[in-house]
Amino acid sequence: MIYFIILPYKNHHTIIRNFLKVNNIEIIQQLQELSHLSNRLDMQEAERNTITDAVTSYTNHFIAGLKHVKGFQQNELNSLAIDNKKKTIEELLSIYQKEVAENGINAASGTHLGYIPGGGVFTGAVADFIAAVTNPFASVYYASPGAAMVENEVVNWLKRVFSFPESATGCLSSGGSISTLIAFTAARDKHQVKNERVRKSVVYLSEQVHHSTQKALRIIGLEDVLIRYVPLDSHHRIQVDALEQLIAKDTAQGLIPFLIVATAGTTDTGAIDPLNDIADLAKKYHTWFHVDAAYGGFFILTSRKSLFKGIERADSMIVDPHKGMFLPYGVGAVLIKDISATLHSNYYEANYMQDAAEDELAKSPANLSPELTKHFRGLRVWLPLQYHGIEPFIACLEEKLLLVKYFRQQLQERGFWIGPEPDLSVSYFRYPFEKDADRKNQQLMNEIHADGDVFLSSSVIEGKFVIRIAILAFRTKKETVDRAVAMIERCLKKVK
Ligand SMILES: *Cc1c(COP(=O)(O)O)cnc(C)c1O
């Protein structure tokens, strides 16, 4: 600008050239200064090694400590606010250990026996590390054919595990809730449940469905569908006769039976609905059949396989590798037979995506789920499976089935009332206090949480307060169950 003012009559081109030259020098100087700072993000090998060494030593220490750590504890939160002051990796790890890792439920330890336990298989963490460093764009086949293929091969493997046809589609999601959303959206679009059809469409559920089921219906605009809760048998499984009666009655009244949701491994009671019989009804009444196998699905690989008969006839199903494969949180999966319904909900052509449009649509995970850019989560299933093989996973699941049997025996011997024999690895119990049993079992639960050696959670089943045990963490062993039993006895003595 200055040049135009000082030298108004000089040759126009020279002025511009000089202007650009000086400006270029300034830009280059500024770039040099900036890159001094910005390079801190792209650190040198020596600094990377310092960090990974510190983290390796931290994680080794953390894992070694898991044998003794409490299942549940509470620390104050003081240092997590971001104050824009630099900290060393040691400082950060120490804050992390105290305020994150040692706070609340220790989901990496075997002592997590509440809700549905998690895992954190180490090779899954290593896969996440590699995925984040290399950062391929896994959502679009064209952008990263290898990464998209890793995800697709995980889906293909799941199709084989659950005997879904090769022609089925599917994708990985963050977990069961989003998987359910994807499956129900495909069901909705296949059955054209919109406008006035919404209020006439009927969804059949067990009272034991996970709440993410009703939540998904609400999110996808189906809040106003009719919901029928099907009576259950004494093992909390859907009664097929009762289901058929409901469907027949609805059909006779001009309503549209749209969706039946069965569960393979209920969250509260570990029950598997009679999938094959339900599949018959779904076929007879042209209803979409969905199976929620988020928690229980991988038990199909065990001696309980026969209980899953019929799952292969579902129109859609979900399963959570972050549960039954003991992987870190944030990986679920959905399988859907009707590929056009799935694409109808999720496939969009956009100008800025045109380079990708040539590829076969279903090879790109982005066309099958609401997500575009996402974490390359396929690697954390693929790598552990390829590294360990399937056997240790199956052994771990069989072990959990036996541990829950063992636990139930131990409690029964000690005078507890225990729930019906579960199909899988979730069970419940209560102490048969003569008076005020609900209140006193609640008190027992409070004592257990205060003790915290092993973490258990509670529920209300058939109107009664019960304490649940869910054995699914890969680090849960006989010793953990012995610790749980000792803790329960210790806590029972404090309840009056
Ligand atoms: C955990 C669970 C879900 C929900 O899955 P998230 O991964 O937590 O979103 C759904 N259904 C069942 C049976 C579950 O156990």
Side-chain angles (χ1 to χ4, degrees):
M1 280 304 188
I2 291 168
Y3 291 84
F4 290 100
I5 298 162
I6 300 173
L7 305 162
Y9 303 110
K10 273 222 166 172
N11 175 304
H12 194 68
H13 290 294
T14 323
I15 294 169
I16 294 185
R17 217 178 297 130
N18 283 344
F19 168 71
L20 286 178
K21 214 187 242 168
V22 173
N23 235 21
N24 262 339
I25 294 170
E26 265 178 28
I27 290 179
I28 291 166
Q29 257 175 7
Q30 274 188 28
L31 282 175
Q32 277 169 351
E33 280 165 26
L34 284 174
S35 95
H36 206 65
L37 264 182
S38 67
N39 276 349
R40 287 194 193 161
L41 293 181
D42 195 10
M43 46 182 65
Q44 297 300 301
E45 188 171 338
E47 190 178 0
R48 290 201 302 272
N49 286 340
T50 310
I51 290 191
T52 47
D53 288 352
V55 171
T56 302
S57 135
Y58 168 75
T59 50
N60 282 337
H61 196 252
F62 175 83
I63 292 170
L66 285 176
K67 277 218 161 71
H68 313 289
V69 84
K70 278 185 154 197
F72 184 66
Q73 55 191 326
Q74 283 168 302
N75 277 325
E76 275 182 40
L77 298 173
N78 295 318
S79 322
L80 295 179
I82 298 169
D83 55 11
N84 290 335
K85 290 194 193 111
K86 284 166 45 125
K87 293 163 192 70
T88 65
I89 191 71
E90 286 76 16
E91 285 171 316
L92 291 168
L93 289 171
S94 134
I95 293 172
Y96 184 85
Q97 175 64 12
K98 182 147 179 291
E99 301 202 6
V100 181
E102 280 178 1
N103 211 355
I105 300 167
N106 195 328
S109 103
T111 53
H112 179 13
L113 304 176
Y115 309 112
I116 299 290
V121 162
F122 191 73
T123 43
V126 171
D128 274 3
F129 180 69
I130 299 169
V133 172
T134 56
N135 205 25
F137 195 82
S139 312
V140 174
Y141 186 80
Y142 160 82
S144 183
M149 223 38 213
V150 163
E151 295 226 5
N152 294 338
E153 286 302 341
V154 171
V155 171
N156 288 338
W157 175 74
L158 288 170
K159 288 187 221 164
R160 294 194 291 274
V161 168
F162 293 100
S163 302
F164 263 52
E166 254 178 57
S167 58
T169 188
C171 68
L172 300 181
S173 69
S174 60
S177 305
I178 300 300
S179 299
T180 303
L181 207 67
I182 297 171
F184 285 7
T185 307
R188 179 197 67 189
D189 293 350
K190 165 93 171 177
H191 286 253
Q192 300 275 302
V193 184
K194 51 186 175 182
N195 304 329
E196 60 282 356
R197 257 177 99 89
V198 175
R199 284 173 196 281
K200 283 192 184 166
S201 297
V202 192
V203 177
Y204 302 86
L205 305 178
S206 140
E207 236 159 55
Q208 291 293 334
V209 287
H210 191 271
H211 73 275
S212 54
T213 302
Q214 291 95 331
K215 184 170 160 178
L217 289 171
R218 211 191 286 167
I219 294 173
I220 66 170
L222 299 185
E223 186 169 8
D224 293 334
V225 292
L226 298 159
I227 292 185
R228 306 268 185 255
Y229 287 98
V230 187
L232 307 180
D233 70 14
S234 60
H235 280 71
H236 310 289
R237 303 182 195 118
I238 283 178
Q239 283 185 36
V240 181
D241 295 350
L243 173 60
E244 175 149 30
Q245 277 168 23
L246 287 171
I247 297 178
K249 194 169 155 213
D250 288 334
T251 311
Q253 291 185 343
L255 299 171
I256 310 160
F258 148 55
L259 169 68
I260 305 173
V261 179
T263 309
T266 53
T267 312
D268 252 356
T269 55
I272 303 184
D273 290 320
L275 305 177
N276 207 36
D277 296 342
I278 296 174
D280 287 340
L281 288 187
K283 187 165 174 224
K284 183 166 166 192
Y285 293 94
H286 310 289
T287 310
W288 185 285
F289 176 34
H290 174 79
V291 178
D292 178 350
Y295 147 65
F298 288 110
F299 284 100
I300 197 173
L301 296 165
T302 69
S303 49
R304 302 289 157 90
K305 183 174 172 62
S306 62
L307 296 175
F308 290 83
K309 189 168 170 359
I311 197 168
E312 73 286 350
R313 298 173 64 196
D315 293 290
S316 59
M317 64 159 288
I318 65 163
V319 64
D320 269 353
H322 67 199
K323 289 176 180 164
M325 281 184 69
F326 326 109
L327 296 176
Y329 287 138
V331 59
V334 53
L335 299 179
I336 303 174
K337 286 205 183 127
D338 192 312
I339 191 160
S340 7
T342 317
L343 286 171
H344 176 87
S345 327
N346 296 293
Y347 169 60
Y348 270 83
E349 249 182 289
N351 291 338
Y352 47 83
M353 297 290 292
Q354 63 186 358
D355 300 333
E358 303 261 300
D359 296 307
E360 274 180 65
L361 299 178
K363 275 194 190 166
S364 292
N367 294 332
L368 305 164
S369 98
E371 294 181 277
L372 178 55
T373 310
K374 61 171 181 175
H375 174 63
F376 175 24
R377 49 176 81 94
L379 195 65
R380 73 155 75 140
V381 187
W382 186 90
L383 192 138
L385 272 175
Q386 300 277 44
Y387 182 87
H388 300 287
I390 189 68
E391 289 80 11
F393 290 96
I394 300 175
C396 220
L397 290 165
E398 290 285 7
E399 188 178 49
K400 307 310 150 206
L401 292 170
L402 278 179
L403 284 175
V404 92
K405 262 196 175 161
Y406 174 74
F407 175 80
R408 286 165 54 87
Q409 276 172 6
Q410 294 298 310
L411 281 202
Q412 208 163 22
E413 281 170 18
R414 287 163 177 78
F416 281 82
W417 175 86
I418 54 172
E421 176 97 29
D423 290 327
L424 300 175
S425 69
V426 175
S427 185
Y428 57 91
F429 62 92
R430 54 193 253 138
Y431 194 77
F433 295 102
E434 271 179 23
K435 268 197 265 165
D436 275 349
D438 270 351
R439 188 181 58 76
K440 285 185 175 170
N441 277 289
Q442 168 80 67
Q443 208 183 331
L444 175 59
M445 181 81 267
N446 296 346
E447 291 293 346
I448 289 172
H449 284 163
D451 185 291
D453 192 38
V454 169
F455 182 78
L456 303 176
S457 61
S458 66
S459 191
V460 174
I461 294 176
E462 288 165 351
K464 290 197 177 78
F465 183 94
V466 298
I467 302 176
R468 275 174 82 250
I469 180 158
I471 304 190
L472 195 64
F474 72 114
R475 292 187 170 110
T476 303
K477 300 282 158 182
K478 177 180 167 293
E479 299 74 57
T480 332
V481 173
D482 289 336
R483 256 170 81 179
V485 173
M487 175 190 70
I488 294 165
E489 278 198 298
R490 183 160 74 231
C491 293
L492 182 64
K493 290 197 186 117
K494 295 188 186 161
V495 178
K496 302 194 178 74

